[in-house]
Amino acid sequence: MRLVTAREMGEMDQKTINEYGIPGLVLMENAGIRVVDVITGILGDPCGKTVAVFAGKGNNGGDGFVVARHLFNSGAEVHVFLAADHEQIKGDALVNLNIWRKMGQKVYSLTRDNDINLVRLVLMNADLVVDALYGTGFKGAVQERMAPVIEAINACGKPVVAVDIPSGLEADTGRVNGPCIRADHTVTFALAKLGLVLPSASEYVGQLHIVDISIPAAVTSEGESRRFYITKQLVRDWLPRRTGPEHKGDFGRVLVIGGSRGMSGAAVLAAQAAARTGAGLVTLGVPESIHDIAETKLTEVMTFPLPETEKGTLSRSSLDKILDHARRADVLALGPGLGTNNETAAVVKEILLRIEIPCVLDADGLNAMVGKTELFRVVKSDLVVTPHPGEMARLTGCSTGQIQNNRLNIATQKAVDWHSVVVLKGEGTTVAGPDGTLFINGTGNPGMASGGTGDVLTGVIAGLIAQGMQALYAAAAGVFLHGEAGDIAAREKGMAGLLASDLLENLPAVIKHIEET
């Protein structure tokens, strides 16, 4: 699903009007009708229902007037509140306001302090509220006199439908700088606005509906936007197909290098995840002192021991053996549970400089590259780095807070700088490609904030690359599948106590469901 900024959407609107000759009034009419469709799905037949419509002075308010008219014509009792003087309404919005007036319907002003009393009275008796106060051009904080209105709407306990975007939410950033409508449903037009899918917006948007208002497909498909929200449709289109006859070699060979004394589980989880995602053959290399443990834990994954340091981490003498196995693999997953020994970190560096297959670098593999990220640019094949915010902070020299406050830009910038795919984990995991393409993920839940889930993601991405997926799409599909597996586990078992192994069990079913949807 393509994501756009407010400016990009505005340019599409203008191109539709100026080049295709579709009047703005037609777009506004279509927008209002689509909102009414969603409202009807919530209320059923509007006849006899009471609806409060809150409109601003711009085109968003004009959409609200259209909604009011169609609901009234369907038999609803509609109360329209206007957050401006009538003289401030211009253009297409004014046309629809005048139609409402000519129908003999009243408009209640929201320009005086005591108007809030009428608002509260109407909300008490309303069956549903329509928010058309502020549109996608809104930035900053709502007007002070509108704060009590928004607070009353949020407190009324009635379903709230936001037109295009919840009032008080910034369309480009998803930021909320003051009072903001907490919608149960948001009906946005033509394409989703970037801010609507960011984690900061999740508690305000509710269920997101993206509706067609007759903007030509040629307009919505062109332009500079390379931002996407990951959906089942996208993942289904990317996933490799099994048409038969095939054998295990046709689905790729994954090499996982990881583990250290006391941290065998991370490497084991990554290897199991690659196998659960569909890789044909998975091989795990670990320090020799934990090899028997790994071999005992794994049945479907091949294992081999590697020379180790006195502390039970990979030693320099393991390099040649790792590179030899890499020559027979299609992708390398490097890092889970390696430890932070200096000698082991040097091995990671050498592996990256010498391998010629795609690599998914995670956990202590990333820690080994702190202060050396310029080497990412010289990796000979596709590199996928998968930091959580703390790891990204160490790699970039920023604070974790700076990373979290500017996730999209930092992920995109570093993907370009490092010539790598960057998977910035956390709520709303962001996947950025070296060409500037950006994917935002919406699956997953707080229960997944537990040890081992990141190792599972590493294996999932590696397993998809092994089956022939491009690194960027494998990373985007991987975070979606990983989050969906976690969501199923949370529904079945709850978030408390959710384990990484619960995700492993769900991965095949998640893939099957997406393929069949």
Side-chain angles (χ1 to χ4, degrees):
M1 179 174 72
R2 191 178 180 199
L3 302 171
V4 293
T5 63
R7 178 187 62 80
E8 290 165 344
M9 193 68 247
E11 290 172 353
M12 292 179 192
D13 287 341
Q14 290 306 306
K15 187 165 189 175
T16 299
I17 293 167
N18 298 329
E19 296 185 21
Y20 285 82
I22 300 176
L25 272 172
V26 171
L27 298 179
M28 187 173 286
E29 186 73 13
N30 290 344
I33 291 172
R34 296 296 174 263
V35 174
V36 171
D37 289 342
V38 172
I39 291 172
T40 301
I42 299 167
L43 289 181
D45 185 356
C47 185
K49 304 292 174 60
T50 300
V51 178
V53 176
F54 292 83
K57 64 181 181 180
N59 283 341
N60 195 248
D63 298 335
F65 301 141
V66 176
V67 171
R69 169 163 40 90
H70 284 282
L71 288 174
F72 177 79
N73 287 339
S74 296
E77 179 182 345
V78 183
H79 300 273
V80 174
F81 291 90
L82 179 60
D85 293 323
H86 292 195
E87 294 74 20
Q88 294 179 279
I89 313 303
K90 308 292 183 184
D92 296 336
L94 178 59
V95 172
N96 279 296
L97 174 58
N98 287 338
I99 293 172
W100 179 250
R101 285 168 161 173
K102 290 173 182 177
M103 291 169 61
Q105 297 307 300
K106 188 171 182 179
V107 177
Y108 299 97
S109 174
L110 290 174
T111 58
R112 299 168 302 182
D113 291 341
N114 61 356
D115 292 331
I116 189 64
N117 296 324
L118 179 59
V119 168
R120 293 183 178 125
L121 179 62
V122 170
L123 290 174
M124 286 177 59
N125 298 294
D127 295 294
L128 183 138
V129 181
V130 175
D131 163 36
L133 288 167
Y134 294 92
T136 56
F138 169 84
K139 292 182 180 179
V142 301
Q143 297 175 4
E144 185 175 349
R145 63 184 175 83
M146 292 309 302
V149 175
I150 290 176
E151 291 165 358
I153 292 171
N154 289 340
C156 74
K158 308 299 172 61
V160 178
V161 176
V163 176
D164 212 7
I165 191 166
S167 294
L169 180 73
E170 292 186 354
D172 293 353
T173 67
R175 293 195 185 105
V176 171
N177 301 300
C180 182
I181 291 291
R182 295 179 183 272
D184 298 284
H185 299 262
T186 297
V187 185
T188 201
F189 308 129
L191 294 169
K193 287 63 186 178
L194 178 60
L196 291 173
V197 303
L198 296 178
S200 55
S202 60
E203 62 182 295
Y204 302 98
V205 173
Q207 183 177 346
L208 181 62
H209 306 260
I210 304 167
V211 298
D212 174 30
I213 60 171
S214 299
I215 294 178
V219 175
T220 56
S221 62
E222 65 182 18
E224 301 177 358
S225 175
R226 305 184 69 161
R227 307 175 208 90
F228 300 89
Y229 188 67
I230 309 170
T231 63
K232 288 182 181 179
Q233 176 66 54
L234 277 179
V235 175
R236 182 171 67 251
D237 291 344
W238 293 332
L239 284 175
R241 296 288 184 266
R242 300 195 179 212
T243 57
E246 292 125 342
H247 59 82
K248 59 189 176 184
D250 293 324
F251 301 112
R253 295 170 170 82
V254 177
L255 173 62
V256 180
I257 300 296
S260 58
R261 196 174 300 155
M263 291 193 290
S264 62
V268 167
L269 285 168
Q272 288 177 314
R276 283 290 189 182
T277 308
L281 292 165
V282 181
T283 303
L284 171 63
V286 296
E288 54 192 1
S289 64
I290 65 169
H291 175 257
D292 288 350
I293 296 172
E295 194 168 44
T296 300
K297 289 183 175 182
L298 295 167
T299 303
E300 295 86 1
V301 173
M302 296 175 285
T303 64
F304 65 96
L306 289 165
E308 64 180 28
T309 66
E310 291 180 356
K311 295 184 178 180
T313 66
L314 295 181
S315 69
R316 287 187 179 89
S317 55
S318 68
L319 181 60
D320 288 341
K321 194 170 184 180
I322 292 170
L323 293 175
D324 180 59
H325 277 273
R327 294 184 190 100
R328 289 169 275 156
D330 297 302
V331 60
L332 169 66
L334 177 62
L338 275 180
T340 56
N341 180 277
N342 289 337
E343 186 172 345
T344 306
V347 173
V348 171
K349 174 184 172 182
E350 287 300 317
I351 292 172
L352 291 177
L353 288 174
R354 296 171 64 176
I355 59 166
E356 297 184 357
I357 57 174
C359 176
V360 183
L361 187 67
D362 184 32
D364 289 328
L366 294 170
N367 290 326
M369 300 307 293
V370 172
K372 308 180 185 72
T373 55
E374 71 279 358
L375 297 179
F376 291 158
R377 299 167 62 94
V378 299
V379 176
K380 296 175 184 177
S381 189
D382 293 328
L383 176 64
V384 180
V385 296
T386 61
H388 58 58
E391 291 165 340
M392 192 62 155
R394 291 192 287 275
L395 289 169
T396 60
C398 298
S399 69
T400 302
Q402 289 172 319
I403 297 295
Q404 290 293 69
N405 289 333
N406 202 18
R407 288 174 59 88
L408 303 189
N409 288 338
I410 289 176
T412 303
Q413 175 191 337
K414 292 307 175 185
V416 173
D417 289 349
W418 295 341
H419 297 181
S420 305
V421 175
V422 172
V423 180
L424 181 53
K425 296 185 288 195
E427 186 181 5
T429 292
T430 299
V431 179
D435 64 351
T437 301
L438 184 76
F439 292 97
I440 298 172
N441 184 51
T443 62
N445 62 81
M448 296 169 64
S450 63
T453 57
D455 305 311
V456 171
L457 177 60
T458 296
V460 171
I461 296 172
L464 293 173
I465 293 174
Q467 295 173 74
M469 289 183 66
Q470 295 181 31
L472 176 61
Y473 298 147
V479 299
F480 184 92
L481 296 173
H482 178 258
E484 190 77 357
D487 288 342
I488 291 174
R491 288 194 295 270
E492 292 178 348
K493 300 182 178 182
M495 294 187 196
L498 191 150
L499 300 177
S501 56
D502 296 326
L503 276 63
L504 291 175
E505 295 300 318
N506 290 329
L507 279 168
V510 168
I511 295 171
K512 178 176 183 290
H513 174 72
I514 290 175
E515 289 175 337
E516 294 176 349
T517 299

